[in-house]
Amino acid sequence: MRALLPGCLALAVAALPLHAQQAPRGCPDPGQWQFDFWVGEWEVTDSAGTRPMGTSEVTREENGCLVHEHWHGRGGSSGQSFNYLDPSGRWQQDWVGSGGGILHLAGGLDGTAMVLTGASKQPNGATQLQRVSLIPQPDCRVRQFWQVSNDGGATWTVSFDGWYRRRG
């Protein structure tokens, strides 16, 4: 990842407070840094950049072992995700939203995209599959492409297509 987007990573590191740049790395697995492209402060819009969807602040915490997202939707919703690399080398995400929604996803890199999948129970008792792809772009944006399936993965519908642009 570092070789693919050096300018974007340099911007991300420069945006970190000095104490965060100098903090000791607490997680020895080199895969721990695969999510660095998402760390930062973001304005989230549609793909054209014309419709604001919300803001997101993504930080590294717990000595670098946790990638923590703070989401604030334009309509007043909010949520947080906790992202971490488990001992087997698989990324885990736990999401809790202000509307009561919770979701657990797991996955890893697929090319340059971080792809996380999971299942959630719907109010009617049915299981819905979730697939979230965070895709770093050459222009330093990050696309979050979220799909859902109600038929065990035979077909997928877009649930969210947000483009993260760095603030400032």
Side-chain angles (χ1 to χ4, degrees):
M1 180 66 61
R2 291 180 192 275
L4 295 175
L5 303 168
C8 298
L9 287 176
L11 287 173
V13 170
L16 291 173
L18 186 57
H19 72 276
Q21 293 178 38
Q22 296 173 348
R25 300 279 186 171
C27 298
D29 189 317
Q32 182 65 39
W33 315 110
Q34 294 171 336
F35 234 148
D36 278 356
F37 67 86
W38 196 32
V39 174
E41 292 187 21
W42 305 92
E43 296 287 339
V44 184
T45 66
D46 62 356
S47 61
T50 57
R51 188 170 64 98
M53 300 172 90
T55 62
S56 186
E57 180 183 0
V58 182
T59 58
R60 277 215 169 268
E61 297 181 23
E62 302 306 332
N63 217 16
C65 299
L66 176 70
V67 176
H68 185 184
E69 177 194 21
H70 300 266
W71 164 258
H72 298 281
R74 184 167 187 233
S77 65
S78 63
Q80 297 182 47
S81 70
F82 296 86
N83 305 270
Y84 53 93
L85 194 64
D86 72 20
S88 74
R90 201 163 146 85
W91 278 94
Q92 306 291 322
Q93 182 183 89
D94 291 302
W95 163 265
V96 179
S98 61
I102 60 169
L103 183 61
H104 179 79
L105 304 169
L109 283 181
D110 182 359
T112 61
M114 182 64 69
V115 180
L116 305 166
T117 59
S120 63
K121 286 288 185 192
Q122 300 303 296
N124 66 2
T127 298
Q128 184 178 65
L129 298 180
Q130 311 273 335
R131 180 170 58 201
V132 179
S133 300
L134 290 140
I135 310 159
Q137 303 297 304
D139 63 0
C140 299
R141 293 181 301 161
V142 174
R143 180 183 187 192
Q144 185 179 66
F145 188 63
W146 193 321
Q147 299 168 290
V148 296
S149 175
N150 293 310
D151 57 11
T155 60
W156 294 88
T157 304
V158 176
S159 174
F160 180 82
D161 192 4
W163 288 73
Y164 288 58
R165 290 175 173 82
R166 289 195 185 279
R167 286 182 171 172

